[in-house]
Amino acid sequence: HTFTFQLYAKSKAESDNIRKIIHSFKSHMHPGMSDLGAFLYDYPGWFSIKYYVNGAKNPYMHNFKKTILENMDVKYAPEQIYVTHEDGSPTHVTLTLQFKELEVLLKKDFENLEDSY
């Protein structure tokens, strides 16, 4: 499942927030080193994606199982024009995130209309 976000920064503070968002996704998509010994990895972070409308789960949208961030693309000149604030922080970033569900979808996942994926 792929999601693309257009992030516009009107100030250095907003650019700093975008930078923190990108860093957080990068950090969670990669494994860590295990405390058990060399060459053993911890699992990357997983994500729970849900759609809401008016504070409740949206019944018309896909229900995701547990996901991992499989791929991430960051474009700092998404319109082929590189523009920054005076300090070099970008004014426009396109962030594309590709998630993969960790469980196989089965026919039983579609038995009830309310719970279907």
Side-chain angles (χ1 to χ4, degrees):
H1 304 278
T2 302
F3 300 90
T4 300
F5 302 94
Q6 302 295 327
L7 307 172
Y8 294 91
K10 297 177 187 172
S11 66
K12 179 188 181 316
E14 289 184 0
S15 284
D16 289 343
N17 284 335
I18 291 171
R19 184 178 182 190
K20 289 175 186 175
I21 291 167
I22 292 167
H23 180 266
S24 181
F25 277 118
K26 282 183 180 179
S27 173
H28 283 72
M29 77 181 285
H30 293 92
M33 293 298 293
S34 174
D35 294 334
L36 299 175
F39 306 110
L40 294 175
Y41 294 103
D42 289 332
Y43 292 104
W46 61 271
F47 297 84
S48 177
I49 301 171
K50 297 182 182 351
Y51 293 104
Y52 285 89
V53 61
N54 299 322
K57 187 175 92 169
N58 188 335
Y60 294 97
M61 303 299 285
H62 180 77
N63 289 320
F64 294 90
K65 294 190 176 197
K66 191 185 298 186
T67 65
I68 58 167
L69 181 55
E70 189 171 45
N71 194 19
M72 178 175 158
D73 183 49
V74 181
K75 289 187 177 25
Y76 294 99
E79 296 170 0
Q80 309 305 320
I81 301 169
Y82 179 72
V83 181
T84 66
H85 297 285
E86 284 186 26
D87 65 349
S89 58
T91 60
H92 181 196
V93 174
T94 297
L95 176 62
T96 302
L97 306 171
Q98 183 179 358
F99 293 91
K100 181 177 185 175
E101 290 177 283
L102 295 176
E103 296 178 40
V104 175
L105 291 173
L106 302 171
K107 285 185 178 188
K108 71 179 183 77
D109 294 322
F110 300 91
E111 288 175 357
N112 297 320
L113 182 60
E114 299 302 318
D115 297 328
S116 68
Y117 288 84

